[in-house]
C-alpha cells in the first residue's frame, strides 16, 4: 500500500470525525434542552436515546458523502450540508409545542418519544444520504 493512500485515508477519516464532533456541539446548541446535562448528570435515558439517534442520523449522510465524493473538498462540502440538514430537522422538531412536544417529553424522560425522535433522525439521515447520491 502506498503511503499517499494512507494519508488520504487519514485526511478523510479525521475530517469526518471533526464533522461529527462539530455536529455534537451544534446539536446541543440547537436543541432547547441541555443534552449533556440530561445524559451525564441526570442519567436521562430518553435524552440519551434521542441523542444517539441524532449521531447515527448524521453519520449516514456523512458516509454517503465519503462514498460518493469525487475529492476531499467535495466531501467536506457535502459533509457540511449533511450537518445543516440534520440540525435544521432537530431545530424544527424540538420546537413543536403542546401535547406533541419533544422538548417537554424528553426533559420528562419519556422513552417512547425519544425512540421516535431517534428513528426520525435516522430517517432524515437516510433521506439526506439518498438525496446526495449522484
Amino acid at each position: 500500500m502506498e503511503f499517499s493512500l494512507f494519508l488520504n485515508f487519514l485526511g478523510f477519516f479525521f475530517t469526518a470525525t471533526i464533522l461529527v464532533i462539530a455536529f455534537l456541539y451544534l446539536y446541543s446548541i440547537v436543541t432547547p434542552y441541555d443534552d449533556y446535562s440530561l445524559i451525564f448528570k441526570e442519567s436521562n435515558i430518553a435524552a440519551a436515546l434521542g441523542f444517539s439517534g441524532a449521531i447515527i442520523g448524521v453519520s449516514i449522510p456523512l458516509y454517503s458523502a465519503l462514498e460518493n465524493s469525487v475529492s476531499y473538498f467535495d466531501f467536506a462540502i457535502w459533509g457540511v450540508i449533511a450537518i445543516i440538514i440534520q440540525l435544521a430537522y432537530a431545530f424544527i422538531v424540538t420546537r413543536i409545542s403542546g401535547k406533541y412536544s419533544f422538548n417537554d417529553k424528553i426533559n420528562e424522560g419519556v422513552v417512547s418519544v425519544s425512540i421516535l425522535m431517534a428513528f426520525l433522525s435516522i430517517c432524515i439521515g437516510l433521506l439526506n444520504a439518498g438525496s446526495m447520491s449522484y
Side-chain angles (χ1 to χ4, degrees):
M1 176 167 71
E2 291 184 41
F3 188 68
S4 64
L5 293 175
F6 181 68
L7 290 178
N8 284 340
F9 160 78
L10 288 178
F12 280 94
F13 180 78
F14 284 118
T15 301
T17 302
I18 289 167
L19 288 172
V20 170
I21 292 168
F23 173 79
L24 296 175
Y25 174 74
L26 294 170
Y27 184 87
S28 69
I29 292 172
V30 165
T31 56
Y33 42 87
D34 185 346
D35 294 283
Y36 294 107
S37 179
L38 288 171
I39 295 167
F40 292 103
K41 291 182 181 173
E42 298 178 31
S43 299
N44 184 317
I45 294 170
L49 286 169
F51 197 65
S52 298
I55 295 167
I56 294 169
V58 78
S59 296
I60 294 167
L62 287 177
Y63 169 80
S64 181
L66 282 166
E67 186 69 23
N68 294 305
S69 64
V70 294
S71 68
Y72 175 81
F73 184 71
D74 185 48
F75 160 67
I77 296 276
W78 283 108
V80 169
I81 291 169
I83 288 173
I84 291 169
I85 298 296
Q86 296 298 121
L87 291 173
Y89 154 77
F91 180 84
I92 292 167
V93 167
T94 58
R95 295 313 186 277
I96 296 170
S97 60
K99 69 179 185 178
Y100 299 113
S101 172
F102 283 87
N103 180 26
D104 294 344
K105 299 297 183 187
I106 288 175
N107 270 309
E108 294 167 9
V110 179
V111 172
S112 59
V113 172
S114 69
I115 291 171
L116 177 60
M117 176 78 170
F119 277 84
L120 287 172
S121 294
I122 294 167
C123 175
I124 295 299
L126 286 167
L127 295 174
N128 194 353
S131 297
M132 65 175 67
S133 299
Y134 44 92

